[in-house]
Structure formats: structure tokens, C-alpha cells
Amino acid sequence: MKIAVLPGDGIGPEVTREAVKVLEALDLPRLTLFDGDVGGIAYKRHGQPLPSETLTIAQSCDAVLFGAVGDPDCDKLERALRPEQAILGLRKHLDLFANLRPAKVFAGLEHLSPLKPEIAKTLDMMIVRELTGDVYFGDKGEKVANDGSQEGWDMMSYSETEVRRIAQVAFRTARAGDDKCRVCSVDKANVLETSQVWRDTVKDAAGSHPDIELSHMYVDNAAMQIISNPAQFGVILTGNLFGDILSDLASAAVGSIGLLPSASIGDRKTDHGVFGLYEPIHGSAPDIAGQCKANPMATILSVAMMLRYSFGRENEAARIEMAVEKALADGIRGGDLGGEHGCEEIGEAVRERL
Ligand code: NAD
Ligand code: IPM
Ligand code: MN
């Protein structure tokens, strides 16, 4: 089991440290960890947010555990040198086109959600976000507009090929869950050509999957429905930008962004699963970095996803998930959930309950 550990910036190192300790506590055979620099720290040490050595380490492993990148000191750098390019570059170079972001309110923990308990308890969805296309990776630039003012532009596009492969992931994911194969594809086809191609392609791809119950929704409505009627969603299939926004929204409905893990996968296989990059959906949280205030649960739950998807270790994955649930049920809470437990204490509480 070769795992690249890329902690990154801000709270990245704190939450990754706790997640690695949980992984090590499982006493798995032949576990080897390799460290690499990414983000602002990599820029400061090597002049690049994604040094080639880091990419080589990631490529040579079966899975990557990623913390977070982002540093306010770097926000004025030219875009290619900014910390965020590290995660975008890893996703692109490793062809990790599918991002799975589960959002679920654990039974008995409805009170962590700002939603009414009877609504919160029905929230259990998987956001399948396309990760290597969309406006994120199109041409972009700045020019002088006709009136002489500065204008920024970003090209948004999706090809049928890109949409078809992510749709297949969503259909497979729906089938693997126990939610009657519901897939809701979220787009903005009433306005965007990109979304029209998206919608037509998803419909066409679903044609050969009669067991999939496919629906379509505009993204503005989806944002509203996730909060008001989450029970209707099983799998949400959406593009890169909409998926980014909707997953932060879903995390707030669960209770905190410090609780949501993610898996980014592509087609490359490992001995017991697929190669993947695993990371919390949150960022480097510079406002609380270095104060032991970060909730490491999202990163710990990302390790569970890693064990499930890249190493076929369902038992250990479930042990981690149950330990996190138990810790929350026992009142272990970071500041994000209105509690006082520090990052290390939360990590230790999870390890004790494994
Ligand atoms: P953020 O997710 O870092 O933080 C948003 C808010 O949530 C902050 O108030 C923060 O304190 C809180 N928060 C986040 N994670 C938490 C945790 N584990 N425990 C407790 N509280 C937590 O988003 P932002 O402030 O918009 O971005 C900060 C930096 O992170 C930016 O540079 C951004 O580009 C970067 N970012 C990186 C990633 C990534 O590496 N994948 C993801 C999102 C944002
Ligand atoms: C995320 C982040 C990234 C994204 C940024 C840091 C590039 O917000 O992983 O959700 O937009 O994908
Ligand atoms: Mn995001």
C-alpha cells in the first residue's frame, strides 16, 4: 500500500497529521507513506506549487492523501504560481475526472444540521462532480474592453466525451448505493450551450441504463432543493463549477464543512481498486490555521474512502466511519460544530473508538 501524503498549506498539515495517525492505527500490512510538498509551501521551497518531484511521487503510489492548499500571501502571484494550481494540476495530470463527495447526516446527529431535524435526517446524497473540465480548464485571460476598462474572461465548455464518462460514473455510483438508482443531473441548460450539450449527452448515456431513474434540474433550483427537500436526491451528477458550489452548500446542511470527505478517481486501476486522490472538500482555512481549531474529521473520512476505493478494504473503511460517528455521538466537537475540542483531541477521540 503506497500512499503519497501531501499536506499543503494552512490547516492542511494539521488535519492530514491526524488522518495519517488514524491510518497507522489500523496496523495495515505493507503500508508505506511518501511525503511531498504542494501549494504555497511548495512555491516557497521550490518556486512551484506543484514541483515535478511531487507529481512523480503521486504517480508512483496507489493513492494520494491531500490536505489543502491556499495561502493569502500568494494571492497576488501570477495564476500559474498560485497554490491552488497544485490541486488543479494533480487532478489534470492524474486524469482524476470524477470527484465523489458524499453528504450525509448521520443517524442521531440531526441536531448538528441547521435544518429542521425531520428534514436533516433525510439528507443522504452523493455529489458526483466532473473534475477536469468546464470553465476551470478552458482558456482564460484579460483584455481591455471597448469602454477601456479591464475585462476578464474564462471559456466554459464540455465535450460529449467528457460528459459521457462522468455520467457513467454517476450511474455506477447510483447502482452501488441503496437509493433506487436515482440520478439527478444538475445544469444550467436554460442559459448555457455547455449545459445543453451536458443535458443531451446525459440523457443519451442513460438510454442504455433502463434501471437508472434520471431527472434534470437547473442549478439555482438545485441549490434551493438541497436545503428544502434533500430527501429527493440520491446521486447528483454535475459539472466542475456547480459541483464545487453545491458541495460546500451540502456541507453546511450536514453541519460543517469540516465533515465532508471526497474521492477523486479516474480509470487507472490498482491491485484492489482504483487509483485515487482523497481530500476534505474544505480549503486551507487561513483564519484558523496553526491554532489547533481545525476539525480533522473530513480528512479522516477521506482516508476511509481511500481504503474503500483504492485498496478494497471495506471493513477498515467502515471502522473509521463508525469511529467518527461514535465520537460525534459522544459529544466530540470542534469549534466548527460549536464545541471546544482541538484538532489533535478529535483525532485521538476517533482513534480510541476505532
Ligand atoms: P475554506 O474551506 O478554507 O474555509 C471556509 C470556512 O470554513 C473558514 O471559516 C474556515 O475556518 C472554515 N473551515 C474550513 N475547514 C474547516 C475545518 N476542517 N474545521 C473547522 N473549520 C473549517 O475556504 P476559503 O476560506 O474560501 O479558502 C481558503 C483558502 O483555501 C483559499 O486559498 C482557497 O483557494 C483554498 N481552498 C483550497 C481547497 C483545496 O485545497 N482543495 C479547497 C477550498 C479552498
Ligand atoms: C475544492 C476547491 C478547489 C476547487 C480550488 C482550491 C481549486 O474549492 O476542491 O473544492 O475549486 O475545485
Ligand atoms: Mn471548493
Side-chain angles (χ1 to χ4, degrees), residues 3 33 35 60 65 83 86 90-91 110 120 132 160 169 203 236 239 261 269 279 302 307 316 319 337 339 345 350-351:
I3 300 171
L33 305 177
D35 288 334
S60 69
L65 179 63
L90 281 164
R91 292 169 181 168
E110 296 79 15
T132 52
E160 269 185 54
V169 174
K203 266 189 202 159
I236 290 183
K269 302 279 179 286
E279 57 169 331
S302 300
L307 292 170
E316 286 83 357
R319 273 176 67 194
L337 291 168
E345 264 178 302
V350 173
R351 287 198 300 284

Side-chain angles (χ1 to χ4, degrees), residues 236-299:
I236 290 183
L237 162 63
T238 192
N240 205 344
L241 182 63
F242 299 154
D244 180 43
I245 299 167
L246 293 182
S247 53
D248 269 34
L249 179 88
S251 79
V254 170
S256 165
I257 196 164
L259 293 176
L260 257 65
S262 83
S264 303
I265 57 173
D267 288 328
R268 190 180 137 195
K269 302 279 179 286
T270 55
D271 287 348
H272 299 283
V274 285
F275 174 83
L277 180 149
Y278 301 85
E279 57 169 331
I281 78 156
H282 63 70
S284 58
D287 53 332
I288 56 164
Q291 302 168 39
C292 205
K293 283 186 184 162
N295 185 347
M297 284 173 166
T299 317

Side-chain angles (χ1 to χ4, degrees), residues 218-241:
Y218 299 131
V219 62
D220 44 355
N221 184 25
M224 188 266 282
Q225 299 282 344
I226 286 173
I227 300 294
S228 54
N229 180 14
Q232 68 189 291
F233 297 109
V235 167
I236 290 183
L237 162 63
T238 192
N240 205 344
L241 182 63

